[in-house]
């Protein structure tokens, strides 16, 4: 890790949603709108991100729209990450998955399965929008504030218990005794929401229907706002492993990172919108043209400028943050510039962690082997 | 053959067969004790099986689902393979390493929400370029419900009422975008055409949906619907809603009886006699000669039902420990301690009168001179679901199925993972092709095209509220 000669290294994540983070991005994309929702598109974007040297790809989920002027469709995030799994080698694949209006048992199974199809390169970006529209889709009401955080915390706890409910060596295939499983290494999760749970309480029995994920426990990433509402940054393998931090301006981002770190988060990931000079146009002009089509509401700080300036900014930010997640204004355009001018220079400066084939998300975050909450001494 | 092959109602046999492969992941049918038995969870096992199936021009790759781990006498069942991935997550990954084969996810209507499940299935259909299908199942017991927020909320009697409203809602979600809703060029004024997406609302006895669908129609318009569930209610549900039935009637006579029944129900539901296809669950144990196939079958059976499985199987019906009995001896002489049988939970069987069943089984075993192990092996591996013989024998038999239109294909459960399809693809498929009953290439790119299914009519206008 960090020594006197080498600066501390960090990782870079890229959000691959749609045609980019700007709502008007589709107008600058290198393909027709009808070609967006396909395996071909997932393949080309995730391979471009991997070969550029990004360590992590994230996949947003939830409602998009409204329909009309801009993109109104989105493929399921777990499936996009799963599709990317077998065609990539080193990039970590992290889908966003809701916790409020989903069944925690299904979520745990899907994420454990994702860990298998990505060979241990999966993570979970916890969402808890709780919006009225998402609730109405499943016949439930909006959930806000502490209620959202409580739903998120319960869902994370359910997953963590289910992921441990098979010990690593539960599948014994013992021909002599005729046993495929060692039943002593399977455990009921017996999760129940607390009596003071703000929403409708529930219980989950277990065990999981899939063996323990390859990583043991998938790293759990959550936005800082959920922490503010009460989602816990746990000790390792409970609660949240990494926190996404936003700030209203570039100047405040470093400070926001430091603040979250002081609350004990294992890893801190800074969120950044990016618009770069490209195609012979200044970033400012490109942004103005996109904004003229549709304004870009975002709570993230935004870098607008040339590649060299971004390299400087990221070098500085990665001295305090463990990682930075970039939200490219236009995926096709920004990814070209990032790959050509930004990542190579960051690598040259030695501020990026190496990207390793056959790595795991746990390894990238510096998390050790996940201990199993149910493993008993003597096994 | 003596069977009456007339189906009636204007049904016309296609004369063709399709194959599917069912990666089971649970139950005693999968042999884990052989040296060549591979992992049940490694992606490589799934990739290898799916790619072999695609090499053999299979129409579909199936995954099952069980939302609670099987139990025996109050603890997880230890003797059979268990532990499998989420169907749609696995199929999305397989979509990246296959090109043509259909991808079928068994998904339950009772413990899912229609908007979420419809969205995920549409997503799989788009990601795979129109290769997705949903095998609709309705497992409703409260024991499974203990894993879910909603618990065991549904009466068994209501399972298909609920499922039908669910499927109708899903179809409306899949049909909610106009055909040309998305602009064909990035220079268009808007990404989607104005008023081209209709919200879907449903208010019913079991759930309420108010949803803005987030995905357009797919290359095959919407996922293909399979149905598995054999009760009269299940068959009527399939006759109204499904494209294909994953059936439990593979024997030729039984398959013909089932076909007649389904054709009658389909026509009664106002659909054409050929509109619902049938693919029974089946097992193939093949070799170059009939003699070798017989020996192979005996070997497979001995690995599927070992002494421990044989005793455990009887314990479920006797309701007591029987470990003192010799698996190679006669059936237990003591009586069951339970009134109702309780087969290993999660294996999908129903209770029966225990003492009556025990008497009947003892008489049957005595009559045929069967040991516990031989008897259980016969009970668990239904003889009519097993096609065992030489490649040419079985190809002849299957050609007969095709000629009379008993089935539209077979959904094969390999007893070995991941190499269990190799001999079928290498030896049986060419025999079937030589007999003109099996495709020599994929005819298109979507699952609907592989199966020869027409593009579906649009579901009723989403403005209409249905009540169920
Ligand atoms: C060949 C076949 C395979 C099936 N596979 C599954 C499965 O993998 N998971 C499941 O939950 N149900 C499965 N079922 C369906 C359930 O048995 C069915 O939904 C339930 O029994 C209720 O329907 P029924 O009363 O009409 O049988 C299968 C059924 C058949 C006939």
């Amino acid at each position: 890790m960090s020594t006197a000669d080498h600066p501390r290294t960090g990782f870079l994540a890229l959000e691959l949603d749609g045609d980019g983070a700007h709502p008007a991005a589709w107008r600058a994309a290198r393909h027709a709108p009808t070609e967006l929702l396909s395996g071909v598109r997932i393949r080309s974007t995730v391979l471009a991100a991997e070969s550029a040297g990004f360590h992590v790809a994230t996949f947003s989920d939830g409602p998009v729209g409204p329909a009309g002027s801009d993109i109104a469709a989105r493929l399921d995030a777990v499936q996009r990450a799963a599709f990317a799994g077998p065609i990539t080698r080193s990039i970590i694949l992290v889908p966003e998955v809701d916790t409020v209006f989903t069944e925690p048992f299904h979520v745990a199974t899907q994420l454990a399965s994702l860990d298998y199809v990505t060979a241990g390169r999966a993570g979970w970006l916890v969402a808890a929008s709780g919006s009225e529209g998402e609730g109405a889709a499943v016949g439930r009401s909006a959930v806000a504030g502490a209620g959202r955080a409580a739903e998120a915390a319960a869902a994370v706890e359910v997953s963590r218990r289910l992921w441990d409910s098979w010990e690593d060596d539960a599948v014994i295939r013992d021909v002599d005794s005729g046993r495929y499983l060692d039943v002593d290494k399977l455990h009921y999760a017996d999760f129940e929401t607390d009596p003071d749970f703000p929403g409708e309480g529930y219980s989950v029995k277990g065990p999981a229907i899939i063996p323990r994920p390859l990583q043991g426990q998938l790293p759990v990433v959550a936005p800082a706002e959920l922490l503010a509402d009460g989602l816990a940054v746990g000790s390792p393998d409970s609660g949240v492993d990494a926190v996404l931090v936003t700030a209203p301006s570039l100047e405040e981002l470093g400070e926001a990172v430091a603040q979250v770190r002081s609350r004990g988060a294992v890893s801190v990931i800074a969120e950044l919108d990016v618009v770069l000079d490209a195609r012979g146009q200044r970033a400012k002009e490109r942004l103005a043209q996109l904004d003229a089509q549709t304004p870009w509401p975002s709570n993230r700080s935004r870098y607008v400028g040339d590649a060299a300036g971004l390299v400087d900014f990221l070098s500085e930010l990665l001295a305090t943050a463990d990682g930075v997640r970039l939200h490219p204004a236009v995926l096709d355009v920004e990814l070209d510039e990032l790959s050509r001018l930004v990542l190579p220079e960051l690598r040259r400066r030695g501020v990026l962690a190496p990207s390793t084939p056959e790595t795991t998300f746990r390894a990238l975050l510096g998390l050790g082997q996940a201990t199993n909450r149910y493993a008993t001494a003597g096994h | 053959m003596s069977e009456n092959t007339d189906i009636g109602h204007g049904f016309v046999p296609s004369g063709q067969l399709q194959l599917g492969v069912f990666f089971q992941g649970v139950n005693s049918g999968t042999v884990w004790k052989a040296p060549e038995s591979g992992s049940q969870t490694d992606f490589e096992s799934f990739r290898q099986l799916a790619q072999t199936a695609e090499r053999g021009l299979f129409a579909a790759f199936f995954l099952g689902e069980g939302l609670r781990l099987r139990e025996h006498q109050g603890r997880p069942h230890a003797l059979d393979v268990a532990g499998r991935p989420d169907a749609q997550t696995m199929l999305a990954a397989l979509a990246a390493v296959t090109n043509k084969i259909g991808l079928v996810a068994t998904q339950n209507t009772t413990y899912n929400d229609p908007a979420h499940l419809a969205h995920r299935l549409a997503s799989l259909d788009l990601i795979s370029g129109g290769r997705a299908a949903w095998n609709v199942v309705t497992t409703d017991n409260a024991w499974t419900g203990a894993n879910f927020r909603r618990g065991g909320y549904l009466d068994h009697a209501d399972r298909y009422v609920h499922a039908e409203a669910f499927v109708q809602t899903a179809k409306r979600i899949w049909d909610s975008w106009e055909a040309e809703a998305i602009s064909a060029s990035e220079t268009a004024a808007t990404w989607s055409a104005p008023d081209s997406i209709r919200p879907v609302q449903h208010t019913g006895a079991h759930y309420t949906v108010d949803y803005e669908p987030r995905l357009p129609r797919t290359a095959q318009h919407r996922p293909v619907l399979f149905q598995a569930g054999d009760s009269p209610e299940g068959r009527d549900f399939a006759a109204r809603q499904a494209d294909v039935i994953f059936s439990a009637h593979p024997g030729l006579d039984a398959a013909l009886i089932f076909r007649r029944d389904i054709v009658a129900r389909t026509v009664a539901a106002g659909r054409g006699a050929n509109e619902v296809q049938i693919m029974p669950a089946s097992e193939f144990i093949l070799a170059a000669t009939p003699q070798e196939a017989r020996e192979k079958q005996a070997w497979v059976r001995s690995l599927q039902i070992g002494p421990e499985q044989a005793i455990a199987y009887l314990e479920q019906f006797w309701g007591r420990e029987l470990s003192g009995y010799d698996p190679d001896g006669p059936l237990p002489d003591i009586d069951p301690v339970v009134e109702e049988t309780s087969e290993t939970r999660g294996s999908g069987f129903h209770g029966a009168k225990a003492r009556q069943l025990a008497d009947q089984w003892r008489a049957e075993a005595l009559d045929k001179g069967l040991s516990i192990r031989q008897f259980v092996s016969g009970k668990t591996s239904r003889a009519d679901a097993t096609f065992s013989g030489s490649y040419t024998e079985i190809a002849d038999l299957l050609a007969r199925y095709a000629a009379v239109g008993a089935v539209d294909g077979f959904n094969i459960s390999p007893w070995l993972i991941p190499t269990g399809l190799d001999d079928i693809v290498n030896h049986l498929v060419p025999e079937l092709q030589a007999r003109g009953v099996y495709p020599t290439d994929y005819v298109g790119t979507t699952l609907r095209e592989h199966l020869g299914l027409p593009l579906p009519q649009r579901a009723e206008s989403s403005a209409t509220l249905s009540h169920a």
Side-chain angles (χ1 to χ4, degrees):
Chain A
M1 297 241 109
S2 61
T3 68
D5 299 331
H6 293 281
R8 196 189 132 82
T9 62
F11 62 86
L12 286 182
L14 184 68
E15 171 54 50
L16 292 182
D17 194 46
D19 282 323
H22 198 292
W26 66 273
R27 298 178 193 275
R30 273 197 297 264
H31 63 89
T34 39
E35 287 160 17
L36 173 69
L37 305 164
S38 69
V40 175
R41 173 74 181 165
I42 300 168
R43 187 187 303 265
S44 69
T45 53
V46 76
L47 288 178
E50 185 173 61
S51 64
F54 280 95
H55 303 82
V56 179
T58 63
F59 302 87
S60 284
D61 211 353
V64 272
S69 141
D70 299 314
I71 295 181
R74 177 179 271 157
L75 296 165
D76 177 75
V78 172
Q79 289 182 14
R80 280 183 283 155
F83 183 92
I87 55 178
T88 50
R89 293 285 303 283
S90 62
I91 197 164
I92 306 297
L93 303 162
V94 184
E96 181 178 337
V97 183
D98 180 46
T99 50
V100 179
F101 298 121
T102 46
E103 280 286 1
F105 189 83
H106 288 318
V107 170
T109 311
Q110 288 163 20
L111 289 165
S113 304
L114 182 66
D115 206 40
Y116 280 92
V117 304
T118 60
R121 289 181 286 123
W124 177 12
L125 204 172
V126 169
S129 106
S131 74
E132 195 180 329
E134 283 180 86
V138 298
R140 287 176 55 193
S141 315
V143 178
R148 287 168 59 219
E151 290 279 6
V156 168
E157 176 64 14
V158 169
S159 274
R160 291 204 179 276
R161 289 194 194 186
L162 288 170
W163 293 337
D164 277 350
S165 67
W166 293 51
E167 293 184 37
D168 286 324
D169 49 358
V171 176
I172 50 171
R173 293 173 173 256
D174 183 34
V175 176
D176 288 341
S177 69
R179 289 177 311 148
Y180 181 80
L181 299 176
D182 178 350
V183 174
D184 290 338
K185 293 186 174 174
L186 295 179
H187 306 275
Y188 290 99
D190 282 326
F191 173 84
E192 258 181 79
T193 47
D194 289 337
D196 60 353
F197 188 70
E200 201 175 315
Y202 65 92
S203 60
V204 175
K205 182 72 191 170
I209 50 177
I210 177 171
R212 196 161 190 242
L214 298 177
Q215 294 181 90
Q217 291 278 324
L218 278 72
V220 176
V221 185
E225 66 187 69
L226 275 179
L227 267 60
D229 284 334
L231 178 63
V233 176
S235 49
D237 304 320
S238 78
V240 170
D241 298 303
V243 178
L244 293 169
V245 177
T246 55
S249 71
L250 295 177
E251 295 71 33
E252 290 157 282
L253 194 50
E255 174 55 27
V257 166
Q259 247 177 42
V260 172
R261 185 178 298 294
S262 72
R263 302 227 302 266
V266 177
S267 290
V268 183
I269 305 169
E271 295 265 60
L272 187 66
D273 288 339
V274 174
V275 194
L276 291 173
D277 295 356
R279 296 178 175 180
Q281 263 192 312
R282 307 301 300 254
K284 255 204 174 116
E285 291 166 47
R286 290 184 50 230
L287 181 59
Q289 283 168 2
L290 291 166
D291 281 347
Q293 296 285 352
T294 315
W296 184 10
S298 167
N299 61 351
R300 295 176 292 261
S301 49
R302 181 173 305 163
Y303 177 87
V304 184
D306 64 6
L310 181 61
V311 167
D312 289 341
F313 181 72
L314 289 176
S315 301
E316 201 174 311
L317 191 54
L318 284 170
T320 48
D322 298 280
V324 180
R325 177 163 76 143
L326 304 182
H327 298 260
V330 179
L331 184 53
D332 288 347
V333 177
E334 261 65 34
L335 183 46
D336 266 1
E337 302 306 310
L338 290 164
S339 135
R340 221 161 47 84
L341 302 171
V342 178
L343 275 84
E345 179 58 19
L346 287 171
R347 267 196 299 273
R348 206 189 55 74
R349 292 191 188 178
V351 296
L352 289 189
S355 26
T356 338
E358 272 120 49
T359 187
T360 66
F361 195 14
R362 293 189 70 85
L364 182 70
L365 293 178
L367 297 168
Q369 185 152 3
T371 53
N372 190 320
R373 70 201 60 213
Y374 299 116
T376 42
H379 274 306
Chain B
M1 304 235 172
S2 61
E3 74 276 2
N4 169 10
T5 58
D6 180 44
I7 307 292
H9 296 288
F11 173 83
V12 185
S14 71
Q16 293 295 304
L17 296 174
Q18 297 289 341
L19 295 178
V21 55
F22 182 31
F23 189 128
Q24 292 197 90
V26 297
N27 292 354
S28 60
T30 307
V31 167
W32 58 263
K33 293 172 186 167
E36 54 272 63
S37 301
S39 167
Q40 292 290 314
T41 41
D42 282 0
F43 181 68
E44 283 313 309
S45 290
F46 293 85
R47 179 212 296 264
Q48 194 177 327
L49 197 69
Q51 290 181 343
T52 304
E54 192 164 78
R55 183 163 62 79
L57 307 173
F58 277 44
F61 180 94
F62 267 72
L63 290 175
E65 179 193 66
L67 294 173
R68 183 150 174 193
L69 205 62
R70 292 174 65 204
E71 287 181 355
H72 180 63
Q73 298 181 326
R75 303 190 74 192
H77 181 65
L79 305 177
D80 300 335
V81 297
R84 56 184 166 185
D86 171 65
Q88 290 200 64
T89 307
M90 177 55 72
L91 294 174
L94 288 173
V97 296
T98 55
N99 293 306
K100 295 287 175 70
I101 194 165
L103 304 166
V104 192
T106 300
Q107 304 270 270
N108 169 285
T109 49
T110 306
Y111 297 110
N112 275 298
D113 288 294
H116 287 173
L117 188 61
H119 175 71
R120 291 205 301 128
L121 287 161
S123 178
L124 183 64
D125 209 13
L126 287 161
I127 283 177
S128 64
R131 297 190 277 141
W134 172 20
N135 179 32
V136 184
V137 297
T138 61
T139 304
D140 56 70
N141 57 68
W143 174 76
T144 300
N147 280 335
F148 296 95
R149 284 180 189 266
R150 60 201 96 191
Y153 70 102
L154 189 67
D155 270 351
H156 184 65
D158 283 345
R159 69 196 181 288
Y160 282 110
V161 179
H162 177 272
E164 190 139 9
F166 191 119
V167 167
Q168 281 170 332
T169 304
K171 285 181 177 176
R172 287 166 55 214
I173 290 171
W174 293 328
D175 289 347
S176 62
W177 287 46
E178 295 294 337
E180 317 268 297
I182 303 178
S183 298
S185 162
E186 60 273 34
T187 58
T190 59
W191 191 83
S192 57
D195 302 321
S196 58
I197 304 165
R198 289 160 303 181
V200 171
Q201 279 125 17
H202 168 90
T203 310
H206 297 111
Y207 47 72
T208 308
V209 176
D210 184 353
Y211 182 59
E212 297 266 354
R214 291 209 285 276
L215 288 174
R217 296 212 314 199
T218 72
Q220 57 174 356
H221 284 197
R222 62 187 190 216
V224 171
L225 287 189
F226 284 71
Q227 182 272 356
D230 202 32
S231 61
E233 298 86 346
R235 293 180 184 199
D236 277 332
F237 165 70
R240 287 191 296 269
Q241 299 292 346
D243 299 305
V244 189
I245 297 176
F246 181 15
S247 91
H249 307 282
L252 186 51
D253 290 337
L256 277 165
I257 292 167
F258 186 71
R259 168 75 84 185
R260 262 181 231 115
D261 183 68
I262 293 303
V263 165
R265 290 176 198 269
T266 306
V267 169
R271 299 173 71 193
N274 280 68
E275 268 190 63
V276 179
Q277 302 192 350
I278 300 172
M279 290 178 82
S282 55
E283 177 190 53
F284 283 67
I285 305 175
L286 307 176
T289 67
Q291 174 62 23
E292 282 174 74
R294 270 193 295 279
E295 286 162 13
K296 194 165 170 183
Q297 185 176 353
W299 175 72
V300 170
R301 291 287 180 258
S302 74
L303 291 173
Q304 286 171 326
I305 300 296
E308 302 82 9
Q309 273 115 329
I311 296 295
Y313 184 82
L314 292 187
E315 283 174 348
Q316 305 158 81
F317 295 89
W318 263 253
R320 65 199 304 169
E321 231 197 280
L322 300 172
S323 54
Y325 284 83
D326 177 4
D328 294 317
L331 263 60
D333 44 12
I334 51 168
D335 277 327
V337 296
V338 289
E339 278 299 304
E340 293 258 300
T341 64
S342 67
E343 259 197 86
T344 292
R345 303 206 71 158
S347 62
F349 292 86
H350 299 291
K353 291 271 171 265
R355 186 177 304 232
Q356 213 176 313
L357 194 77
D359 285 342
Q360 198 185 314
W361 281 5
R362 275 193 290 250
E364 190 183 329
L366 192 66
D367 188 43
K368 296 182 183 161
L370 299 176
S371 69
I372 288 180
R373 215 170 145 186
Q374 289 165 327
F375 181 80
V376 172
S377 181
K379 282 285 166 218
T380 50
S381 57
R382 297 185 23 214
D384 64 339
T386 302
F387 292 81
S388 183
S390 71
Y391 303 118
T392 54
E393 263 181 341
I394 297 302
D396 286 339
L397 176 60
L398 299 195
R400 172 98 187 118
Y401 277 78
V404 299
V407 302
D408 295 281
F410 293 89
N411 202 16
I412 301 173
S413 305
W415 46 269
L416 199 58
I417 295 295
T419 53
L421 282 186
D422 293 4
D423 61 344
I424 292 170
V425 167
N426 294 340
H427 302 297
L428 181 65
V429 161
E431 294 287 348
L432 293 172
Q433 288 169 329
R435 285 161 181 74
V437 298
Y438 192 76
T440 51
D441 202 351
Y442 284 107
V443 294
T445 58
T446 69
L447 177 55
R448 231 173 254 290
E449 288 170 308
H450 305 337
L451 296 172
L453 293 166
L455 287 171
Q457 301 286 308
R458 264 183 193 285
E460 61 181 284
S461 154
S462 40
T464 318
L465 296 186
S466 52
H467 294 275

